């Protein structure tokens, strides 16, 4: 599509494509049409002119997917055409957004975190803002007016973390949509809440006390909403909310079409955001017509047990995707432990995985010697490794190496806790100031290159759509290869050109993977630096003139 001078979307730049068979009915003239919209492959037009005339109506539904439904999966998205690598599949504004329910106090306007004794009160309602103009932010207006109607101002004097009153804020914004924007409200309440499954759980009881009972009492509106109405909204938030990393701490938003995307622990779409809080889904690799479109509702770099637990607790289902049904996680062994670590004087090189896929906390069996290890021993090691992982300073190179050396006795080389520490190492070895990489030893440079390449190989197998971590790791490998080539020139190493070509490839891949990141995030700056570096490398390699 192209845009006019004011930024509004106008008619598509590509004409409708010819199809041999009868296609459909042109919505402009109601005549049979054989020319298909190249954007969605779903609408048909008899002429390019009629496509242009209909674009104002069609642009809101022009997507390369259709929404389907069945009893097992509920609603899901199916690609209606072949989707190219890099193609944006969906971009949409939120139905509602606001602070996370579990958060430290944030400005109710811009949603940035507040600093003790350095914030203001909204002059009208008392909710905290970081600067005076934030009290006039459109997103704050609903609760501002509702608080004024309460008859007394909000008073927040201490920045407790998390602060209990913030549990109510985004549910309140959702509830107020019914009067302020009925169309958005209707879209919102059609989303899944899993209210029946949630009812009676510990989370449900906490939500009942901390939100459903607090809102009527605090805002003096006992008869406006029932507990069940409020709890349904809380369920919709928890099931469909997307964390938006454009503020610190991150905020939460709910999107309509985005809520139809199904879950996979190896998704085929990558997610980003714009500065307008639009959510953007794009395809890092080609997607065939008829494939289901997916994102990950959990963390793709967690092991299977952690993902299963998280999905059960937060989304109320047990995942049965191909990755969760494969104990090796596509041959990466992201959850495996070493057999030799649990047997004295053992030289077995095998890896331990659950004996029963339905019980990740039971016994583990070696894939080589078939020896068994009791689940209590496994849990003991994993609990210790998790505690130390959470406590360690991941920006300290020595601490990272020490963790890998110590827990590498039990955890497999690709265990997700080890992988997380290696990601930190890939960034801090030769990181920091721009010239730091020139100061590290040859041994450390080779270590950095080895770690980066191993991580990229792993990512391609288990999470090829995880654009941010792949893009940043590509940048680190690009920088290391460029430094290797620089040192090779001095030593007349014949591998210099090959290293420069590999460095260029990784810089270009970094740009590709981070091209949709907003200016607010550091990944955007990394992509820009990679773009500059790639240009310099192309000149150096004689691929373009300087």
């Amino acid at each position: 599509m192209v845009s006019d001078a004011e930024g509004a979307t106008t008619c598509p730049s590509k004409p409708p494509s010819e199809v041999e068979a009868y296609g459909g009915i042109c919505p402009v003239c109601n005549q049979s049409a054989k020319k298909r919209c190249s954007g969605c492959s779903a609408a048909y037009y008899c002429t390019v002119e009629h496509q242009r005339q209909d674009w104002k109506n069609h642009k809101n539904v022009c997507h390369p997917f259709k929404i389907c439904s069945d009893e097992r999966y509920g609603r899901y998205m199916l690609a209606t055409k072949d989707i190219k690598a890099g193609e944006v599949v969906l971009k949409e504004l939120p139905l509602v957004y606001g602070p996370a329910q579990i958060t430290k106090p944030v400005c109710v306007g811009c949603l940035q975190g507040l600093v003790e004794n350095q914030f203001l009160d909204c002059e009208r309602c008392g909710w905290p803002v970081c600067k005076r103009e934030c009290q006039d932010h459109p997103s704050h207006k609903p609760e501002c007016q509702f608080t004024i109607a309460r008859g007394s101002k909000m008073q927040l004097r201490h920045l407790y973390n998390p602060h209990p009153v913030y549990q109510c804020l985004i549910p309140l914004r959702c509830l107020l949509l019914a009067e302020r924007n009925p169309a958005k409200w209707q879209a919102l309440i059609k989303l899944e809440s899993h209210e029946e499954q949630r009812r009676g759980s510990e989370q449900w009881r906490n939500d009942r006390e901390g939100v459903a009972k607090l809102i009527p009492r605090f805002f003096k509106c006992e008869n406006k909403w029932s507990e069940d109405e409020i709890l349904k909204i809380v369920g919709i938030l928890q099931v469909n909310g997307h964390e938006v990393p454009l503020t610190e701490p991150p905020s939460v938003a709910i999107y309509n079409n985005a809520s139809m995307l199904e879950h996979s622990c190896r998704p085929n779409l990558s997610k980003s955001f714009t500065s307008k809080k639009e959510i953007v889904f794009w395809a890092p690799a080609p997607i065939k017509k008829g494939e289901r479109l997916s994102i990950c509702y959990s963390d793709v770099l967690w092991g299977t047990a952690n993902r299963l637990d998280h999905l059960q607790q937060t989304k109320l289902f047990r995942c049965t995707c191909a990755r969760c049904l494969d104990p090796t996680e596509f041959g990466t062994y992201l959850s495996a432990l070493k057999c030799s670590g649990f047997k004295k004087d053992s030289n077995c090189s095998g890896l331990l995985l659950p004996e029963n896929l339905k019980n990740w906390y039971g016994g583990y069996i070696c894939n080589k010697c078939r020896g068994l290890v009791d689940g209590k021993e496994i849990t003991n090691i994993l609990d210790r490794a998790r505690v130390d992982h959470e406590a360690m300073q991941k920006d300290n190179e020595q601490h990272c190496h020490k963790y890998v050396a110590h827990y590498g006795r039990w955890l497999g080389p690709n265990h997700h806790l080890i992988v997380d520490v290696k990601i930190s190492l890939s960034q801090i070895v030769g990181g920091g100031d721009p010239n730091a990489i020139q100061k590290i030893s040859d041994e450390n440079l080779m270590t950095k290159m080895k770690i980066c390449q191993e991580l990229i190989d792993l990512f391609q197998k288990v999470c090829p759509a995880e654009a941010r971590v792949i893009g940043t790791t590509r940048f680190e490998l690009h920088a290391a290869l460029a430094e290797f080539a620089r040192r090779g020139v001095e030593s007349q190493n014949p591998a210099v050109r090959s290293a420069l070509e590999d460095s260029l490839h990784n810089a270009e891949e970094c740009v590709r993977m981070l091209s949709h990141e907003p200016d607010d995030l550091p990944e955007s700056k990394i992509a820009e630096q990679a773009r500059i570096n790639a240009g310099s490398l192309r000149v150096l390699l004689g691929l373009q003139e300087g």
Side-chain angles (χ1 to χ4, degrees):
M1 292 179 242
V2 296
S3 299
D4 60 23
E6 296 180 353
T9 307
T10 59
C11 63
S13 57
K14 294 182 179 179
S17 57
E18 294 282 359
V19 289
E20 292 182 2
Y22 165 75
I25 300 297
C26 174
V28 178
C29 63
N30 291 321
Q31 300 298 312
S32 62
K34 294 184 179 181
K35 298 178 184 293
R36 185 167 54 192
C37 172
S38 60
C40 63
S41 295
Y44 291 83
Y45 297 92
C46 57
T47 64
V48 174
E49 181 57 35
H50 279 187
Q51 185 189 28
R52 291 196 181 99
Q53 289 180 28
D54 188 52
W55 179 240
K56 186 176 180 180
N57 296 320
H58 180 59
K59 66 180 180 181
N60 295 320
V61 295
C62 185
H63 307 299
F65 60 79
K66 63 180 179 181
I67 296 174
C68 305
S69 179
D70 64 31
E71 291 184 5
R72 180 181 178 187
Y73 295 101
R75 290 181 290 184
Y76 61 92
M77 289 184 183
L78 208 66
T80 54
K81 67 167 193 171
D82 289 344
I83 297 171
K84 299 176 182 177
E87 185 174 344
V88 173
V89 173
L90 174 65
K91 179 191 286 189
E92 69 172 329
L93 288 163
L95 295 173
V96 64
Y97 67 91
Q101 288 188 267
I102 306 301
T103 183
K104 69 177 186 178
V106 301
C107 171
V108 292
C110 68
L111 303 181
Q112 294 289 355
L114 298 174
V115 179
E116 192 83 46
N117 300 320
Q118 295 184 30
F119 62 91
L120 306 170
D121 296 337
C122 173
E123 294 172 318
R124 295 181 289 271
C125 69
W127 279 96
V129 292
C130 62
K131 50 187 178 294
R132 185 55 63 204
E133 53 264 37
C134 281
Q135 71 179 21
D136 298 319
H137 197 285
S139 64
H140 170 54
K141 189 174 181 180
E143 71 265 9
C144 184
Q145 293 178 344
F146 202 67
T147 306
I148 293 170
R150 169 179 179 251
S152 58
K153 288 185 177 182
M154 164 74 181
Q155 292 185 344
L156 188 146
R157 291 292 171 260
H158 300 288
L159 302 187
Y160 300 123
N161 187 9
H163 200 287
V165 75
Y166 277 83
Q167 290 186 80
C168 300
L169 192 48
I170 191 166
L172 182 63
R173 289 186 178 183
C174 290
L175 291 162
L176 293 174
L177 277 178
E179 298 173 2
R180 302 185 64 85
N181 194 320
K184 285 187 175 181
W185 170 253
Q186 288 300 319
L188 181 73
I189 60 173
K190 289 178 182 177
L191 300 179
E192 183 61 73
S193 68
H194 289 307
E195 182 56 24
E196 291 306 312
Q197 296 98 309
R198 295 177 70 249
R199 186 173 294 276
S201 67
E202 182 179 357
Q203 182 63 57
W204 182 88
R205 290 193 297 270
N206 291 338
D207 292 334
R208 186 184 182 206
E209 294 297 324
V211 183
K213 289 186 175 181
L214 181 59
I215 284 179
R217 185 172 67 247
F218 183 80
F219 290 99
K220 301 176 183 178
C221 58
E222 284 78 3
N223 299 318
K224 192 170 183 63
W225 302 292
S226 69
E227 277 190 11
D228 285 348
E229 287 175 317
I230 297 173
L231 285 168
K232 179 179 179 180
I233 290 299
V234 174
I236 289 172
L237 275 165
Q238 293 176 1
V239 171
N240 301 281
H242 287 265
E243 183 179 273
V244 183
L246 302 177
T247 55
E248 180 53 45
S251 56
V252 170
I254 293 182
Y255 302 84
N256 187 24
N257 285 324
S259 297
M260 312 300 169
L261 284 164
E262 67 179 71
H263 162 80
S264 170
C265 292
R266 192 181 187 272
N268 54 15
L269 293 181
S270 184
K271 176 174 73 174
S272 189
F273 299 88
T274 71
S275 58
K276 297 177 183 178
K277 295 184 176 61
E278 293 168 303
I279 199 166
V280 180
F281 294 102
W282 63 281
I287 298 174
K288 291 290 186 182
K289 178 182 178 180
E291 284 188 37
R292 299 165 78 114
L293 305 179
S294 59
I295 58 174
C296 185
Y297 296 176
S298 189
D299 190 322
V300 290
L301 289 174
W302 285 352
T304 299
N306 300 77
R307 297 194 317 277
L308 288 174
D309 287 348
H310 178 252
L311 290 168
Q312 187 65 60
Q313 292 168 11
T314 60
K315 307 300 181 184
L316 304 172
F317 71 90
R318 183 176 180 83
C319 184
T320 56
C321 73
R323 180 178 170 189
C324 287
L325 295 178
D326 175 8
T328 74
E329 301 185 59
F330 307 125
T332 61
Y333 293 90
L334 210 67
S335 302
L337 293 88
K338 291 180 178 177
C339 179
S340 59
F342 294 85
K343 297 178 181 178
K344 290 184 179 180
D345 303 320
S346 172
N347 293 320
C348 180
S349 61
L351 294 171
L352 298 168
L353 288 167
E355 188 178 15
N356 181 355
L357 266 182
K358 295 181 179 179
N359 182 11
W360 280 79
Y361 298 97
Y364 274 49
I365 187 169
C366 177
N367 64 349
K368 287 201 172 178
C369 73
R370 310 306 293 172
L372 294 173
V373 177
D374 186 75
K376 292 181 180 178
E377 290 186 68
I378 299 291
T379 300
N380 181 50
I381 287 295
L382 290 177
D383 285 347
R384 285 164 47 195
R386 287 191 191 100
V387 169
D388 287 348
H389 178 265
E390 290 175 6
M392 70 178 291
Q393 296 179 3
K394 295 186 183 68
D395 58 352
N396 185 300
E397 183 178 342
Q398 184 179 357
H399 289 189
C400 289
H401 282 301
K402 190 174 180 179
Y403 183 93
V404 172
H406 178 69
Y407 283 106
R409 289 182 285 176
W410 298 280
L411 306 181
N414 282 345
H415 191 277
H416 65 94
L417 293 174
I418 297 290
V419 166
D420 187 67
V421 177
K422 286 183 177 179
I423 291 172
S424 296
L425 278 171
S426 72
Q427 296 170 5
I428 60 180
V429 174
D433 68 82
N435 298 320
I437 198 167
Q438 298 179 12
K439 302 173 185 176
I440 65 175
S441 67
D442 288 347
E443 181 182 1
N444 282 348
L445 182 62
M446 297 303 293
T447 297
K448 181 182 179 80
M449 290 165 58
K450 181 174 182 290
I451 289 174
C452 289
Q453 189 60 64
E454 289 175 349
L455 287 173
I456 289 168
D457 292 343
L458 183 146
F459 299 153
Q460 296 298 344
K461 292 177 182 177
V462 79
C463 56
E466 193 66 4
R468 289 194 188 102
V469 71
I470 294 174
T472 52
T473 306
R474 288 281 191 186
F475 183 84
E476 296 297 337
L477 182 54
H478 142 71
L481 285 163
E483 175 60 18
F484 176 82
R486 186 189 70 80
R487 297 182 188 188
V489 171
E490 296 176 355
S491 61
Q492 298 183 332
N493 189 325
V496 166
R497 184 172 181 87
S498 176
L500 288 174
E501 290 171 344
D502 287 347
S503 180
L504 173 60
H505 169 70
N506 281 282
E508 291 174 337
E509 280 296 289
C510 168
V511 172
R512 187 177 76 85
M513 296 303 284
L514 301 181
S515 61
H516 296 283
E517 296 302 303
D519 294 340
D520 312 65
L521 297 183
E523 288 84 358
S524 175
K525 297 177 178 60
I526 292 172
E528 181 56 32
Q529 187 60 56
R531 188 177 290 107
I532 294 169
N533 294 357
S536 299
L537 285 168
R538 282 191 287 269
V539 171
L540 191 60
L541 288 165
L543 301 178
Q544 71 179 46
E545 295 182 3

